Amino acid sequence: MRLLIKNGTLVTGAHVEAADVLCDDGTIAAITEPGRPAGRADEVVDARGLLIFPGFIDPHVHSRDPGQQEKETFAHSTTAAACSGLTTILEMPNAIPPVTDADTFHRRAAEHAAVAAVDFGLWGLSLGHENLDDLAGLFEAGAVGVKVFWGYALDRKNKRLVYNAADLPADEVIPPPDLGAVIAVLGEAARSDGLVAAHCEDPQILAHAGRRIGEITTYDDLLAARPAHAETAAVAAAIEAADLTGARFHVLHVAAARTVDLVRRARRDGVRITAETCPHYLFLTRDDAPAKPGMKVYPPIRSRADRDALWEGVRDGTITSLSSDHAPHAPQDKERPLGEQPAGMHGVETIVPLVLDAMSRGVLDPRQVARVLSENTADLYGIAHRKGRIQVGHDADLTLVDPERPFTIDEAALHTLHRRSVFHGHQGRGVAVASILRGRPLMRDGELVPGRHSGSLIRSRRADARDESRQTAGVRA
């Protein structure tokens, strides 16, 4: 299929310019001046008045499928992603069973490809010392990264997260990794130049704070039980470990201002560390808790000063990528008392409008949006050979944005299994009105374009290059 997108304005991390884009057989075939003949097209999209971004990517999604489909399914999460303007997601590994080895990686990829509405990558899960020997196989299979749940224990039987290890006998728990285990994981990943990322909250600080606070009944209790020091202590240790091993380390869902300072200084010193944050940390503060009882996440949403520091980190490039940390729960679970309520919220269908609203208000410029939702994310996770660029030869993934169209986030219009959102009623300006996935129309006006939509696995550059090398060698032989 040959698709021509004409009369639009292309936005990349470096340029904003009028151009037409010709897509052929799933890839970008030509980028030409407006009106310049680009050759035959089977379909033409008039993008007059629209910004054309590289297809947006959400690198941090918890569909928890299989194993916890009562919370979300991969079909629902990828449909929601598509309807919001995303064209690729990266799925976190905490399903049951989690992706802890190459065999599970391949099985999960096949299962997800059968229902995916967008393209997807897969994270692997580190079990500390227990699956060190499997990390190389995960990276060879194409994992975009390996995640460490630094502050959590895991159920030994099914590898499910355990928020309170005292709930299970000691021999049924894989304890949270200590610093030695994290260093071992980083050292092993460095051999493959693979990315290691972590939920950074120091388990000892959390345990001490939890004992001191006791029962959590208010949002102030929650903040005291999970102080910012737990995040910054883990990040400081990770910086030293990354420097020691030479590995690439990524700080997930940064919530604290001091973390931004730590990462900024470490990057200046040449440490291979990167960071992301999420819209709920950028658009909400602790002051919103009374009106939004479902906004419990880990690490928790903090003060206005933290929020402002995060925005500055996004603008100056300290925070290189944005993610949703999509992790919804059934409504009845989020209605439980705060201390019993599970952490996590809907996000995959609200990240795009929220970031575009920030753009419309001048908080970010369009080039910064292209970086944090496309280019930087693709670079970070090793998929920039196919995704995140408007470039000849790359996958023809594009998100078309009307920067002036107003929107109101409405739970009833969302597409996930459970539609509750703390951003229900949020009004803004800037809407992804259409998207293209590998050269075919995917979404229009917030709904899937009629027809079959088949997402496929996107693997890291190193894994794809290795297979191409093997195929070439086989042809020569």
Side-chain angles (χ1 to χ4, degrees):
M1 177 179 178
R2 290 170 65 88
L3 174 71
L4 176 64
I5 304 169
K6 66 177 186 178
N7 301 323
T9 300
L10 267 59
V11 182
T12 71
H15 303 289
V16 178
E17 58 185 359
D20 295 346
V21 182
L22 179 66
C23 312
D24 187 10
D25 195 26
T27 63
I28 296 173
I31 302 169
T32 64
E33 295 177 2
R36 180 179 175 182
R40 177 187 59 83
D42 301 307
E43 184 173 342
V44 176
V45 174
D46 189 346
R48 193 180 307 275
L50 303 181
L51 303 178
I52 303 172
F53 286 89
F56 292 148
I57 304 167
D58 185 346
H60 191 149
V61 175
H62 297 271
S63 303
R64 310 190 196 89
D65 182 357
Q68 299 184 72
Q69 294 98 324
E70 74 279 5
K71 298 178 182 292
E72 181 65 297
T73 73
F74 200 70
H76 279 92
S77 65
T78 56
T79 297
C83 291
S84 75
L86 295 162
T87 57
T88 300
I89 70 163
L90 305 184
E91 175 68 12
M92 281 293 173
N94 59 320
I96 301 175
V99 178
T100 56
D101 55 61
D103 287 344
T104 308
F105 179 98
H106 293 305
R107 288 199 304 273
R108 190 63 40 77
E111 292 164 357
H112 286 347
V115 299
V118 298
D119 284 356
F120 63 94
L122 294 178
W123 283 84
L125 178 65
S126 167
L127 304 176
H129 290 292
E130 300 206 5
N131 72 331
L132 274 180
D133 292 342
D134 292 312
L135 298 190
L138 281 167
F139 288 122
E140 183 171 354
V144 295
V146 166
K147 182 172 184 179
V148 178
F149 283 100
W150 202 330
Y152 296 102
L154 297 171
D155 186 318
R156 184 171 294 280
K157 179 173 63 177
N158 57 24
K159 310 304 186 293
R160 188 171 184 166
L161 288 176
V162 176
Y163 290 99
N164 185 0
D167 292 342
L168 293 173
D171 62 350
E172 295 182 15
V173 172
I174 300 174
D178 58 21
L179 182 56
V182 174
I183 290 172
V185 170
L186 285 166
E188 183 61 31
R191 295 184 176 89
S192 302
D193 197 32
L195 180 71
V196 175
H199 176 127
C200 288
E201 287 184 288
D202 183 277
Q204 294 180 329
I205 293 178
L206 293 180
H208 171 75
R211 289 191 296 268
R212 183 167 57 84
I213 298 303
E215 184 179 2
I216 295 172
T217 59
T218 68
Y219 198 79
D220 285 343
D221 292 339
L222 177 67
L223 290 175
R226 303 190 84 93
H229 292 84
E231 178 180 316
T232 56
V235 172
I239 288 169
E240 296 301 321
D243 193 33
L244 174 67
T245 59
R248 296 193 295 136
F249 185 86
H250 184 60
V251 185
L252 297 168
H253 42 53
V254 173
R258 290 181 61 187
T259 296
V260 180
D261 291 335
L262 287 169
V263 172
R264 184 181 287 119
R265 289 197 298 268
R267 287 172 62 83
R268 288 173 183 166
D269 291 342
V271 180
R272 302 178 75 194
I273 188 165
T274 51
E276 71 177 28
T277 194
C278 313
H280 42 272
Y281 300 118
L282 296 171
F283 285 83
L284 301 173
T285 72
R286 62 187 298 169
D287 299 333
D288 294 298
K292 298 181 182 295
M295 75 176 216
K296 180 181 177 181
V297 292
Y298 293 156
I301 295 163
R302 302 192 185 279
S303 70
R304 293 185 181 186
D306 290 292
R307 179 196 62 189
D308 293 346
L310 292 170
W311 272 120
E312 185 58 33
V314 173
R315 286 190 291 266
D316 72 15
T318 300
I319 294 173
T320 56
S321 178
L322 296 181
S323 76
S324 71
D325 193 12
H326 178 74
H329 299 275
Q332 60 268 27
D333 290 334
K334 295 298 282 186
E335 292 167 358
R336 290 156 59 184
L338 188 61
E340 302 173 14
Q341 187 185 120
M345 65 172 70
H346 174 285
V348 76
E349 203 165 354
T350 54
I351 181 173
V352 171
L354 290 169
V355 174
L356 294 177
D357 182 35
M359 181 187 75
S360 74
R361 292 185 286 109
V363 179
L364 297 175
D365 72 35
R367 292 170 300 171
Q368 289 171 318
V369 172
R371 292 183 203 123
V372 297
L373 285 184
S374 301
E375 294 182 359
N376 291 354
T377 304
D379 290 341
L380 178 62
Y381 295 102
I383 59 174
H385 61 303
R386 289 183 54 187
K387 304 295 186 182
R389 294 288 191 282
I390 302 178
Q391 184 174 319
V392 172
H394 276 53
D395 285 5
D397 295 355
L398 303 164
T399 301
L400 281 59
V401 168
D402 182 344
E404 300 301 327
R405 182 179 293 191
F407 69 84
T408 301
I409 294 175
D410 180 4
E411 290 177 340
L414 300 178
H415 294 80
T416 47
L417 180 62
H418 299 299
R419 301 179 179 185
R420 175 165 296 185
S421 170
V422 297
F423 293 107
H424 175 68
H426 180 96
Q427 296 181 334
R429 186 161 48 90
V431 175
V433 296
S435 65
I436 309 297
L437 177 63
R438 284 180 277 113
R440 291 183 177 272
L442 173 65
M443 178 272 288
R444 186 178 298 117
D445 292 327
E447 298 293 339
L448 293 178
V449 173
R452 175 168 171 75
H453 301 281
S454 180
S456 63
L457 176 71
I458 177 73
R459 307 193 313 157
S460 66
R461 178 191 299 107
R462 185 177 294 271
D464 276 354
R466 185 183 299 109
D467 282 357
E468 289 175 5
S469 177
R470 288 171 178 169
Q471 291 169 4
T472 301
V475 170
R476 289 172 179 168

